[in-house]
Amino acid sequence: MSHHILTAVAWPYANGPRHIGHVSGFGVPSDIFSRYQRMAGNKVLMVSGTDEHGTPIQVQADKEGVTARELADRYNRVIAEDLRGLGLSYDLFTRTTTANHYAVVQEIFKGLYDNGYIFPRTTMGAISPSTGRTLPDRYIEGTCPICHFDGARGDQCDNCGNQLDPIQLINPVSRINGETPVFVETEHFMLDLPAFAEVLGSWLQSKQGEWRPNVLKFALNLLGDLQPRAMSRDLDWGVPIPLDGWRDQPNKRLYVWFDAVIGYLSASVEWARRSGDPDAWRQWWQNPDARGYYFMGKDNIVFHAEIWPALLFGYNGQGARDGRPGSLGELSLPSEVVSSEFLTMEGRKFSSSRQVVIYVRDFLARYDADALRYYIAVAGPETQDTDFTWSEFLNRNNGELVAAWGNLVNRSISMAAKNFGAIPEAGDLTDADRAMLERSRAAFPRVAAEFERSRFKNATNEAFDVIREANKYLAEQEPWKRKDDPERVKSILHVALQVVDDAKTLLTPVLPASSDKVHAMLGGEGAWSGMPEIQEVEDLDEPGRSYPIITGSYDGAARWESTPIRAGVPLAPPTPLFSKLDPKIVDEELARLGG
Ligand SMILES: [Zn+2]
């Protein structure tokens, strides 16, 4: 039975390259999940892109003397390269500055507005007393009223993360000329979140027992204090407000949080338009059998378990004010919000400014993508905060990937290649042979059950148990000591190679590139699991503009089942699957970390 599965991956903010803490929260888990679901026969649509609006992008662009769009163009490209390098199998990784995204965001705004879930509110906005012109939020700085941090901005405090209004700042000053702004009445739009308290409450209650308990508990706690939330800002970088009298105002834009969460839908629409069937996205958003899984770090739970569902309920006309679905039709709510906890780096919080960081591209310049994917799967922040240490990375790489898995592959294939030049035929099987084969086959439903629940640590450990059993089987059967009994050696190696083939399949979601290698070493033809690529494409609605997307063809041969290996397939001597790391890398890497 094949299902449509939407994998909605959090949108990285385009103000710098990604570090391994970022990708351990949203990137690698979502890809493991998607690859497993495709192998199980489901129709996966995995979408995301760079989040490119908002004050921090504009502030950074001002600092560097470029436009916000130029800055976003640069980091969109850098981030796309990072994520492709990790083998993340997006069907579409796009961006929020496309004309398609603007149109979908404005449609959702209009649907909410028509159903009465958006209302205007007069607030106090800043103007420059010397020029009389509006001062956008980013040009106002002051002390945060909540945490008393000195450099808080007019819309947000980067220290405590709270949303602010410029008038709440203590001692506000203009960053342009240092003068104290004057506050005058200005109009903005608010999302009526309290109107969704009831529908959100019963929806979240229905997820008891399904979601990770930490996510559900956090989301239920938020319900106790739902306040109207500002949806627009005094800012010139963002999606214009699609109402008469508003759309042409240069200093009124939709708030970045509002446009970014709608990216899951707009990216699905863009993917469909590029596929040649503009309505294809509806299979994932309007089909009652489809399921949607959202992957993120825990700082994003509020947007995915509260605000995005509220927007969908409102667009569908299902909040306290009722209403009816907008022109796209009724849209599906998330089936599950899968949030990771935080990764720290050698006991400290990641910090780009203090150089307590390792960027994805630097990591990939020195180590295998699969080695990082493995670390994140078995030791990442799946259900609790965890610490990345270089010594643990070294130990897991050398002890588990090289000594356990790489060694099993290497010695099974090299013995068979050297003695028989091909996969040998099995003769009469002993009880030990049959038990080994049964152990390997039995792992498929068990590992599958863990992947289904996004328990990547358990899934990977179960697969490695099979590998450890197989190494033990070889040590006990000692095929290298049986030169006088080639028929028995054939059977042992046949069993070992079958288990290698099974383990390759079990590990494909976590280790796609090295599983492709094992597939080829065992004489498999064609692509096994498929890898992402970057394509330069034209904007669908803005002629002359092009940008890179991540996409790919992932319908390779990989299926979630044990496939009998074929005796007689020629085998060449294997190349090492993983590189053994020199213990001195630990000190080298620690020396690169700043204090
Ligand atoms: Zn603060």
Side-chain angles (χ1 to χ4, degrees):
M1 178 75 177
S2 174
H3 294 280
H4 285 82
I5 295 205
L6 174 73
T7 307
V9 193
W11 290 55
Y13 199 57
N15 62 344
R18 291 303 92 179
H19 60 62
I20 63 169
H22 292 133
V23 298
S24 71
F26 70 86
V28 172
S30 61
D31 185 60
I32 295 175
F33 179 81
S34 297
R35 286 181 181 274
Y36 163 73
Q37 292 291 355
R38 291 190 193 102
M39 291 173 76
N42 293 315
K43 296 191 183 75
V44 173
L45 179 63
M46 175 168 161
V47 290
S48 186
T50 40
D51 174 3
E52 303 183 359
H53 292 126
T55 312
I57 297 267
Q58 184 68 64
V59 167
Q60 181 69 19
D62 291 347
K63 221 184 263 175
E64 298 188 21
V66 296
T67 64
R69 191 151 186 166
E70 285 166 342
L71 190 90
D73 281 348
R74 186 197 313 156
Y75 287 119
N76 159 257
R77 204 166 281 275
V78 166
I79 292 169
E81 288 289 350
D82 289 347
L83 303 181
R84 185 203 57 83
L86 280 168
L88 306 186
S89 58
Y90 294 98
D91 292 288
L92 179 67
F93 183 87
T94 179
R95 55 196 307 191
T96 57
T97 47
T98 65
N100 174 75
H101 178 71
Y102 278 42
V104 174
V105 168
Q106 292 181 330
E107 165 58 26
I108 298 293
F109 180 94
K110 278 185 288 190
L112 287 160
Y113 185 82
D114 290 345
N115 282 339
Y117 295 106
I118 293 176
F119 61 89
R121 176 179 279 179
T122 303
T123 59
M124 302 303 279
I127 58 168
S128 159
S130 57
T131 65
R133 286 166 55 191
T134 300
L135 263 178
D137 296 333
R138 70 175 184 281
Y139 289 124
I140 305 162
E141 228 172 49
T143 304
C144 173
I146 298 161
C147 73
H148 298 278
F149 172 65
D150 262 344
R153 284 191 316 264
D155 62 340
Q156 156 171 333
C157 171
D158 282 343
N159 191 51
C160 65
N162 279 294
Q163 259 192 12
L164 300 173
D165 269 318
I167 200 167
Q168 294 176 280
L169 292 174
I170 301 164
N171 299 325
V173 291
S174 160
R175 294 178 59 228
I176 298 170
N177 56 16
E179 65 190 6
T180 303
V182 171
F183 288 93
V184 297
E185 290 192 341
T186 177
E187 206 164 32
H188 277 293
F189 285 105
M190 308 291 287
L191 175 67
D192 188 4
L193 273 177
F196 302 104
E198 210 174 304
V199 279
L200 281 174
S202 40
W203 176 70
L204 286 170
Q205 289 296 350
S206 75
K207 305 298 181 186
Q208 296 275 12
E210 266 183 67
W211 290 17
R212 291 181 182 172
N214 54 332
V215 179
L216 192 60
K217 189 167 166 235
F218 186 92
L220 284 166
N221 279 343
L222 291 171
L223 284 180
D225 185 32
L226 288 181
Q227 303 290 336
R229 191 171 178 111
M231 302 181 73
S232 58
R233 300 307 300 173
D234 287 322
L235 181 67
D236 50 5
W237 176 238
V239 180
I241 298 165
L243 296 176
D244 291 342
W246 288 82
R247 70 170 63 77
D248 299 323
Q249 289 194 44
N251 273 322
K252 297 281 184 200
R253 289 290 180 269
L254 291 169
Y255 220 137
V256 61
W257 66 257
F258 179 72
D259 97 73
V261 286
I262 297 170
Y264 302 115
L265 177 62
S266 69
S268 303
V269 171
E270 182 183 340
W271 171 83
R273 293 177 65 192
R274 292 191 182 282
S275 79
D277 174 5
D279 282 324
W281 63 272
R282 296 182 188 276
Q283 291 297 317
W284 284 270
W285 287 88
Q286 296 183 321
N287 166 358
D289 290 332
R291 302 195 40 90
Y293 296 83
Y294 290 68
F295 288 84
M296 73 217 64
K298 67 177 164 186
D299 49 337
N300 262 321
I301 295 176
V302 59
F303 291 104
H304 295 87
E306 183 195 343
I307 292 173
W308 178 229
L311 297 180
L312 290 165
F313 277 128
Y315 186 79
N316 292 343
Q318 293 162 335
R321 298 180 203 291
D322 296 328
R324 55 171 170 225
S327 68
L328 293 172
E330 192 172 324
L331 302 169
S332 303
L333 273 92
S335 306
E336 185 170 355
V337 173
V338 186
S339 159
S340 297
E341 303 289 300
F342 288 143
L343 189 72
T344 51
M345 180 89 198
E346 297 285 349
R348 289 180 286 169
K349 260 179 88 167
F350 277 90
S351 161
S352 304
S353 56
R354 287 192 291 273
Q355 293 298 306
V356 182
V357 71
I358 176 148
Y359 292 111
V360 170
R361 57 179 163 177
D362 295 335
F363 193 101
L364 295 181
R366 300 197 278 280
Y367 311 104
D368 280 350
D370 275 5
L372 178 58
R373 294 174 62 107
Y374 178 75
Y375 187 100
I376 292 171
V378 294
E382 188 173 298
T383 52
Q384 59 186 33
D385 291 352
T386 51
D387 193 32
F388 178 92
T389 68
W390 285 105
S391 60
E392 183 174 358
F393 174 70
L394 176 94
N395 290 339
R396 288 192 179 274
N397 183 80
N398 289 358
E400 293 161 22
L401 292 180
V402 176
W405 176 218
N407 188 32
L408 176 66
V409 172
N410 188 65
R411 59 180 175 163
S412 311
I413 295 179
S414 63
M415 263 187 286
K418 193 171 125 205
N419 292 301
F420 311 110
I423 296 179
E425 196 97 44
D428 290 337
L429 296 181
T430 64
D431 285 351
D433 297 343
R434 275 190 290 270
M436 184 66 244
L437 290 172
E438 179 47 33
R439 174 75 185 79
S440 182
R441 265 196 301 270
F444 281 81
R446 292 225 300 270
V447 177
E450 301 293 347
F451 278 135
E452 297 273 359
R453 296 164 59 230
S454 296
R455 301 284 179 151
F456 308 121
K457 192 173 299 198
N458 291 352
T460 311
N461 285 334
E462 288 261 5
F464 260 74
D465 284 347
V466 173
I467 289 167
R468 283 183 272 267
E469 286 288 323
N471 278 321
K472 204 168 118 207
Y473 166 83
L474 278 181
E476 284 165 5
Q477 300 300 320
E478 301 184 303
W480 47 87
K481 283 194 186 164
R482 298 186 189 238
K483 296 228 159 43
D484 53 332
D485 189 358
E487 291 311 304
R488 180 66 196 133
V489 173
K490 283 183 186 173
S491 292
I492 296 168
L493 291 180
H494 185 95
V495 169
L497 290 172
Q498 179 65 57
V499 176
V500 166
D501 195 72
D502 288 350
K504 161 210 86 179
T505 305
L506 295 170
L507 286 169
T508 297
V510 178
L511 305 174
S514 39
S515 292
D516 278 6
K517 274 196 226 166
V518 177
H519 175 70
M521 283 186 221
L522 289 175
E525 281 161 16
W528 173 244
S529 62
M531 294 306 270
E533 59 185 30
I534 291 193
Q535 286 176 10
E536 195 75 19
V537 296
E538 288 274 313
D539 189 293
L540 292 165
D541 310 284
E542 191 183 328
R545 184 184 187 215
S546 74
Y547 55 92
I549 59 170
I550 307 178
T551 185
S553 161
Y554 311 115
D555 48 2
R559 292 289 171 276
W560 193 258
E561 61 194 9
S562 170
T563 314
I565 52 173
R566 286 173 300 131
V569 171
L571 292 178
T575 50
L577 201 53
F578 299 99
S579 320
K580 189 168 180 182
L581 297 174
D582 188 321
K584 76 175 197 287
I585 66 127
V586 173
D587 286 336
E588 286 170 6
E589 293 292 349
L590 288 174
R592 286 192 176 100
L593 285 184

